[in-house]
Each structure stands twice: as C-alpha cells, then as structure tokens.
Amino acid sequence: AIAHAAFTLAMVEYCRNTEKPHPGFVVMDSPLLAYREPEPGEEDLSQTNLKEHFFDYLKTWTDRQVIIIENVDPPPELVQADFTTFFSASSIGRAGFFPPLAT
C-alpha cells in the first residue's frame, strides 16, 4: 500500500512538473495501514519514521488536495491544522465525508 501511495503521489508530481493534465487531487485508501516499522537490524530501516515523513511531505502541498481514508490516526498537529478536515465518529472533526441533509 505504501508503494502504491508513493507511485500515486509521484505521478501527481510528474504531471505538475511537466504541465501534463491532472485533476489536482488524489484519493488514497489506507496507504499506511499495512506498514509496520522494521525491527532493529532488519534491512537497517528502523527508526525511519516513514509515517511521519509521509504526512510531513503532504503538508508541503499547497496547490493540490489529498483525501486519505485511513484507519490510523494522523499526527495531532496535522489533525488540528487549518487545511485539514478530520472525519470521525467521535467528537473530533466532522461525523462524515458528506454533510448531513438539512431537516
């Protein structure tokens, strides 16, 4: 899933840098759910903080939109950012992607 997310984001970057057509947004379903931090010594990738770097990279996008449907919580500073809409069944964020119908 993380490789697919990296490819998708790279494709958006490529289209932007080469002025190819792209709608300017991507939707990703659970790009970080299956990722687990490697054990120390395992391919020497432990402590890489991939999840944090993933969200830090997306914070640099000011002219594109990323919709992430994820089952892991993003970093707290990202949830509270002005450019983020957090959807949740709890009291944090909106209750759903589509606003409720007015009654």
Side-chain angles (χ1 to χ4, degrees):
I2 195 70
H4 186 273
F7 176 82
T8 300
L9 298 175
M11 183 61 70
V12 175
E13 286 285 345
Y14 171 79
C15 289
R16 180 177 172 264
N17 293 338
T18 60
E19 299 181 6
K20 303 284 185 210
H22 192 279
F25 74 94
V26 294
V27 178
M28 292 188 273
D29 183 12
S30 304
L32 301 174
L33 183 62
Y35 180 76
R36 67 167 177 79
E37 285 291 330
E39 298 295 323
E42 182 182 334
E43 298 181 27
D44 201 31
L45 294 174
S46 61
Q47 307 303 317
T48 57
N49 300 323
L50 183 125
K51 291 180 183 182
E52 292 170 17
H53 289 296
F54 176 78
F55 286 116
D56 286 342
Y57 173 72
L58 293 179
K59 286 192 290 188
T60 66
W61 283 22
T62 58
D63 59 344
R64 292 153 285 174
Q65 184 176 22
V66 180
I67 299 170
I68 301 174
I69 301 166
E70 186 62 80
N71 292 328
V72 297
D73 291 335
E77 66 274 3
L78 189 63
V79 173
Q80 298 168 358
D82 290 337
F83 55 82
T84 301
T85 302
F86 186 73
F87 300 98
S88 168
S90 69
S91 61
I92 300 172
R94 279 188 21 201
F97 187 71
F98 296 106
L101 296 174
T103 56

